[in-house]
Structures are given as C-alpha cells and as structure tokens.
Amino acid sequence: GKWDDRPALVVTRVPDHLPHVLPIAVELKKTHGLRSVFAVNDAVTRERAEAAGFEAINLYEEAPPNPVRLTTQAARFVARVAAALPRLEPAGFEPIELAAIRPVTLRVVAQNASDLLRLAYGVDWFIGKARPSLLLAANPYTTDGRVAWRIAAARGIPTASVEHGTVFLNDPIWDECSVDVFCAWGEPSKQTLRANGLKEERIAVTGAAYLDGFIRAFDGAPCAPSIVVATSGPGDLVSHDQHAAFIEMLYESAAAAPEVRFVAKLHRKDRAELYAAAAARH
C-alpha cells in the first residue's frame, strides 16, 4: 500500500551525488507526477533528500539477512572471485605486478563482500515491495550503483544513470555498463561513451541537470562577460609546478582581457593562497 504508485528508486552513494539526481527527481515529479524514493547510506544524504521533499530509506538496513547466512555467502563469494582471478587478469602487466595485484584485489573484495550482499538484499526487497517504475543510479559503476541497476534489470525494471564527471576513453569502469538510458552532458561525452562500448541507442544527450538552477537564475539578466575557471588544483595527476604555471597563464590572460571577469572556482584540493604570488605580480 505504501508504494502502490510505483515510485522511482534513486540510488546514491555519497552526498555529492545529490546535485546531479535531485533536479531529475524534481522534474519527474513536477512534469510526470512520478514520486521518487532515495536510497541512502549516510545521515547527510538522507537529510538533504528529505529537505527537498523526498522519502529516504537505507537499503542496507531495510532487509538485513541472517548474520550466519550472510557470513557464509560472503565467504563463498570471495572464494568464487579468487578462483576467477586468473582468467580476469588484464594483459600488459608483468608477473611481479600481477602477484602484487592479486592479494590487494582479494582483500578489497573481502572487505566489501558483506556490504555488497546486504545492499543486494535491500534492492531486491524494495523491488519486491514497490515494483518501482524506474531505477536511477547516480553513479552506475560504484558498488551501490552497479549492484542496484543490475538487479533491477534482471527483475525487468527500467534503469537509467547520469553523468556527473569527466568520462575518459578506454576506462574499464564503463565495461558492461548497460543501463537502459545514460544521460550524458554533451556530444563529447556521448562519443567517448560509445568508444568505451556503450550502445548509441542507450545514450541521451541531456546536458547537466545540476546547472539548470544557475541558468534559470541568470536567464535574461544583464551581466558583463565572465569566464569561470574550474581547474582541479595540485595533487593526484597535477604537480605543484604545473598548477603554478597554469595560474601564471590565467593571470596573463586576465591582464590581456581586462573587460572580462575571471572567476576561479576552487577545487577541494586547491587553495586561494596559491594564487597570491601571481596576483601580486599582475
């Protein structure tokens, strides 16, 4: 009775997923009368989803399996992965590299096996209770997203996902990502997804839903030309020297185009003080 209207199930993993799927849930409700239920596994995501007017449930807790059964199934799952590893090992690695990868892979699988199975039980429980009209995975290649949409697909539930970051060529995370509809931000993403093996008929170019609010806020409002700079800052694949050189070029560009307003949106691993020296020079 509670879910007789067959709501959409939106599967999120972290709060950062919400800006990408909340606007979609709002549009589905406003335009099509489709209610959404958000699957969450932390208090922050729950609070934000409920503040936006949506129901939130923790699928890890809704249908907890018998602990003994869970432990047994997790052990069997890890054993199956261990037996399958030799035929799954990627080409191009040296034997010493593969020898290092195997134990790490098994350790990660073992650490996550119980949560994976609990989530699988929860998704299957919700599908049995609500028979959702859609499963929307905020991220189709996280454990949560991939488990959820695969179970939904096996149960005959339409599946969809959305882009929420750069799609890279030859990235194995896109292998066998066969959701019914993948909403891409633009043609470059579509072409990259096609090259990674997604079928063209499963990709829809929709733009980035999380930007709709900004566009509506500034639609028709007079404003000076401006450029938003959204680099990732130093760390990971970017050295401090590379980032410093980029900042210098940024300030040189701003000096060459004084009529344009440059706004640097700082990444979490970027800091305002790294811009101070170039600002002083210019």
Side-chain angles (χ1 to χ4, degrees), residues 3 91 119 159 187 225 263:
W3 294 308
L119 174 66
T159 60
E187 284 294 332
V263 180

Side-chain angles (χ1 to χ4, degrees), residues 10-59:
V10 184
V11 179
T12 61
R13 181 173 179 83
V14 291
D16 288 350
H17 286 162
L18 283 178
H20 302 280
V21 289
L22 270 176
I24 297 174
V26 170
E27 188 65 25
L28 289 173
K29 183 178 180 180
K30 181 176 69 174
T31 304
H32 303 285
L34 179 60
R35 181 165 65 107
S36 293
V37 175
F38 279 72
V40 302
N41 60 10
D42 66 272
V44 174
T45 309
R46 175 186 289 276
E47 181 180 333
R48 293 180 183 175
E50 291 177 342
F54 295 99
E55 181 182 355
I57 61 173
N58 189 326
L59 294 180

Side-chain angles (χ1 to χ4, degrees), residues 8 22 37 46 71 81 114 129 156 165 179 220 248 250 253 274 281:
L22 270 176
V37 175
R46 175 186 289 276
T71 301
V81 173
S114 293
K129 288 282 187 180
V179 291
E248 186 66 25
L250 174 62
S253 301
L274 297 179
R281 284 194 298 275

Side-chain angles (χ1 to χ4, degrees), residues 185-237:
W185 286 350
E187 284 294 332
S189 294
K190 177 181 178 179
Q191 298 307 321
T192 304
L193 288 166
R194 284 185 60 196
N196 283 338
L198 271 71
K199 295 181 179 179
E200 183 169 5
E201 61 268 22
R202 293 178 181 265
I203 306 170
V205 176
T206 61
Y210 78 100
L211 295 176
D212 289 352
F214 294 102
I215 294 171
R216 282 193 293 267
F218 289 98
D219 188 25
C223 60
S226 58
I227 294 176
V228 176
V229 181
T231 184
S232 67
D236 192 18
L237 302 179

Side-chain angles (χ1 to χ4, degrees), residues 66-238:
N66 178 282
V68 175
R69 182 186 179 196
L70 181 65
T71 301
T72 302
Q73 289 186 329
R76 289 176 180 171
F77 176 71
V78 174
R80 288 176 61 188
V81 173
L85 270 183
R87 61 182 175 83
L88 297 175
E89 288 172 346
F93 285 86
E94 297 291 334
I96 191 171
E97 292 175 311
L98 292 174
I101 290 171
R102 289 177 197 129
V104 173
T105 301
L106 287 176
R107 185 170 68 249
V108 171
V109 170
Q111 288 172 343
N112 291 277
S114 293
D115 280 348
L116 184 152
L117 289 169
R118 288 172 61 213
L119 174 66
Y121 279 118
V123 172
D124 200 55
W125 167 85
F126 186 86
I127 290 174
K129 288 282 187 180
R131 194 66 190 171
S133 52
L134 168 71
L135 187 136
L136 175 61
N139 187 329
Y141 55 78
T142 61
T143 301
D144 306 55
R146 181 157 293 209
V147 167
W149 73 255
R150 281 190 171 278
I151 292 175
R155 295 285 297 269
I157 305 299
T159 60
S161 190
V162 295
E163 181 178 353
H164 67 280
T166 305
V167 180
F168 294 102
L169 191 63
N170 299 322
D171 193 334
I173 62 175
W174 297 106
D175 291 350
E176 301 178 0
C177 182
S178 299
V179 291
D180 293 313
V181 178
F182 185 93
C183 300
W185 286 350
E187 284 294 332
S189 294
K190 177 181 178 179
Q191 298 307 321
T192 304
L193 288 166
R194 284 185 60 196
N196 283 338
L198 271 71
K199 295 181 179 179
E200 183 169 5
E201 61 268 22
R202 293 178 181 265
I203 306 170
V205 176
T206 61
Y210 78 100
L211 295 176
D212 289 352
F214 294 102
I215 294 171
R216 282 193 293 267
F218 289 98
D219 188 25
C223 60
S226 58
I227 294 176
V228 176
V229 181
T231 184
S232 67
D236 192 18
L237 302 179
V238 180

Side-chain angles (χ1 to χ4, degrees), residues 242-273:
Q242 288 174 317
H243 188 53
F246 172 80
I247 291 173
E248 186 66 25
M249 288 190 292
L250 174 62
Y251 275 89
E252 289 174 357
S253 301
E259 74 283 1
V260 178
R261 181 176 180 235
F262 285 73
V263 180
K265 186 267 183 189
L266 295 181
H267 189 275
R268 289 179 178 178
K269 59 186 177 71
D270 200 0
R271 302 189 308 279
E273 52 264 32

